[in-house]
Amino acid sequence: MKVLVIGGGAREHALCRSLSLDSDVTALYCAPGNAGIAEVAELHPVDILDGDAVARLATDLGADLVVVGPEAPLVAGVADAVRAAAIPCFGPSGEAARLEGSKAFAKDVMASAGVPTARSYVCTNPAEIDAALDAFGAPYVVKDDGLAAGKGVVVTEDIEAARAHAVACDRVVVEEFLDGPEVSLFAITDGTTVLPLRPAQDFKRALDGDEGPNTGGMGAYSPLPWADPKLVDEVVESVLQPTVDELRRRGTPFSGLLYAGLAITSRGVRVIEFNARFGDPETQVVLARLKTPLAAVLLAAANGTLDELPPLNWRDDAAVTVVIASHNYPGTPRTGDPIEGLEDVAAQDAPDAYVLHAGTRRDGDAIVSAGGRVLSVTATGKDLAAARERAYAAVARIRLDGAQFRTDIARKAAEA
């Protein structure tokens, strides 16, 4: 099977790594990729928002499956263009991807499907914003209605900061604050069958102790030893399956990866948000634990035959990933700094720890930073403590001027 992965972040590196280990994959391509992905896949330039260009590339390569990684091309309808070229594609249609592309649309789907979520108001002017903020009180939760690369959400006790963020957006969702720990649960679906993966927890804030601004994610771990063993079944029954059924009822079936961001509140499970693709950095730890070869699962979702697959097999090992970000992330990150020590990780820590590239590029013989989140260091171990120790040992071997990373990823769960 020839597989083309669209994207160039750590999520796509994790996907490419898993696919490169799959004996069913005879050729692996990535567009545009990054310096790390180049080690496991053949890279090709493409405008990932141009569906026709992606479809032409897939046709020229003779791809048997296209996997669209990032949210922006999904919302732009790239998967539709690939399917129109008669090539199986893992990723929802542009219409179904509105589940991530519009918070208001997602709220409407959840209301119709009876999915538990936070109470909310959709606001389009300052008067509506003020009324919504007053109705809920602090902590204030304000979400840009559209895509914002994981940084469109403000949670704050400061009403002026909340209002400033809201007013700066064309349309916002203001909602009640949800207490309790957060969980990410992915499910692969063909629009009818829902196949859940293993839950993970990520760390959105930039600094230790969940301080600092929101980011796209600074690390993650799996499994969750503190979670109810029935959590996955409960979420499939009350959240994932009803959402998939509702979208199919509306004539916009969702085929691809449905990601539920959840809060385990005192009143039960509540949906914080939906994403329409593999999440970063949770993908890194979830795929590290998956034993079942990935390509056949993604192809079955694309072809509508998930119900014919045997159950997924999982490793008992735990997995931890730590994100190394560039100077000033999540503000305007500094780029172009050389990255050293990657060979040391490969030589001394593999296969129990490895580096997945996010914002990198090759500059001559050097690999340099090219974005905010630069690397994801992922490690496995017999338990979270062992995986965490290996991950941070590998992080210590990497040298990037001005690098920042959290030192508390999975600490509480490992010590519990």
Side-chain angles (χ1 to χ4, degrees), residues 363-387:
D363 183 7
D365 293 333
I367 293 177
V368 302
S369 61
R373 291 186 296 169
V374 180
L375 304 167
S376 282
V377 179
T378 302
T380 57
K382 62 182 179 62
D383 54 28
L384 285 174

Side-chain angles (χ1 to χ4, degrees), residues 10 61 110 202 216 242 291 310 320 372:
L61 293 173
M110 285 187 274
D202 78 333
K291 289 178 66 175
V320 172

Side-chain angles (χ1 to χ4, degrees), residues 99-113:
L99 202 62
E100 177 170 4
S102 169
K103 302 291 191 297
F105 176 75
K107 288 291 187 181
D108 183 65
V109 170
M110 285 187 274
S112 299

Side-chain angles (χ1 to χ4, degrees), residues 26-312:
T26 56
L28 181 60
Y29 312 103
C30 187
N34 62 37
I37 296 174
E39 298 176 5
V40 295
E42 181 180 298
L43 302 190
H44 291 266
V46 76
D47 178 354
I48 66 172
L49 298 179
D50 186 337
D52 291 338
V54 172
R56 284 195 301 271
L57 176 61
T59 300
D60 292 345
L61 293 173
D64 302 299
L65 173 67
V66 175
V67 180
V68 182
E71 60 272 27
L74 289 170
V75 172
V78 167
D80 301 275
V82 173
R83 279 190 278 265
I87 300 171
C89 185
F90 182 82
S93 67
E95 185 65 24
R98 289 179 64 206
L99 202 62
E100 177 170 4
S102 169
K103 302 291 191 297
F105 176 75
K107 288 291 187 181
D108 183 65
V109 170
M110 285 187 274
S112 299
V115 170
T117 187
R119 294 179 296 124
S120 64
Y121 294 101
V122 179
C123 306
T124 58
N125 60 61
E128 291 176 349
I129 290 166
D130 289 341
L133 293 173
D134 183 62
F136 288 130
Y140 303 101
V141 181
V142 182
K143 299 180 177 181
D144 190 336
D145 181 55
L147 294 178
K151 290 174 279 188
V153 179
V154 166
V155 181
T156 180
E157 298 277 350
D158 184 344
I159 190 169
E160 293 304 323
R163 189 177 190 279
H165 178 68
V167 170
C169 303
D170 290 333
R171 184 162 75 154
V172 296
V173 174
V174 178
E175 64 183 38
E176 67 175 327
F177 177 78
L178 297 175
D179 65 323
E182 296 184 12
V183 173
S184 300
L185 182 62
F186 301 164
I188 293 172
T189 178
D190 56 11
T192 301
T193 300
V194 173
L195 184 66
L197 305 185
R198 292 292 169 88
Q201 185 173 62
D202 78 333
F203 295 73
K204 292 293 188 188
R205 298 286 187 168
L207 307 176
D208 285 5
D210 291 328
E211 299 290 336
N214 263 351
T215 72
M218 295 299 292
Y221 70 93
S222 180
L224 313 181
W226 49 267
D228 188 327
K230 299 178 182 178
L231 175 65
V232 172
D233 290 341
E234 177 187 347
V235 174
V236 170
E237 181 179 350
S238 66
V239 173
L240 297 171
Q241 191 70 58
T243 300
V244 168
D245 292 344
E246 173 62 18
L247 287 169
R248 188 176 66 253
R249 186 192 68 78
R250 294 182 178 210
T252 55
F254 188 106
S255 172
L257 195 291
L258 179 56
Y259 165 148
L262 310 163
I264 313 302
T265 78
S266 56
R267 294 174 292 149
V269 173
R270 297 288 186 272
V271 175
I272 300 170
E273 65 176 353
F274 282 125
N275 290 337
R277 39 72 191 181
F278 280 100
D280 180 3
E282 300 97 322
T283 299
Q284 288 87 302
V285 293
V286 172
L287 292 186
R289 302 185 60 218
L290 179 65
K291 289 178 66 175
T292 300
L294 185 61
V297 180
L298 302 184
L299 184 61
N303 288 335
T305 57
L306 269 183
D307 61 333
E308 299 175 11
L309 292 183
L312 298 177

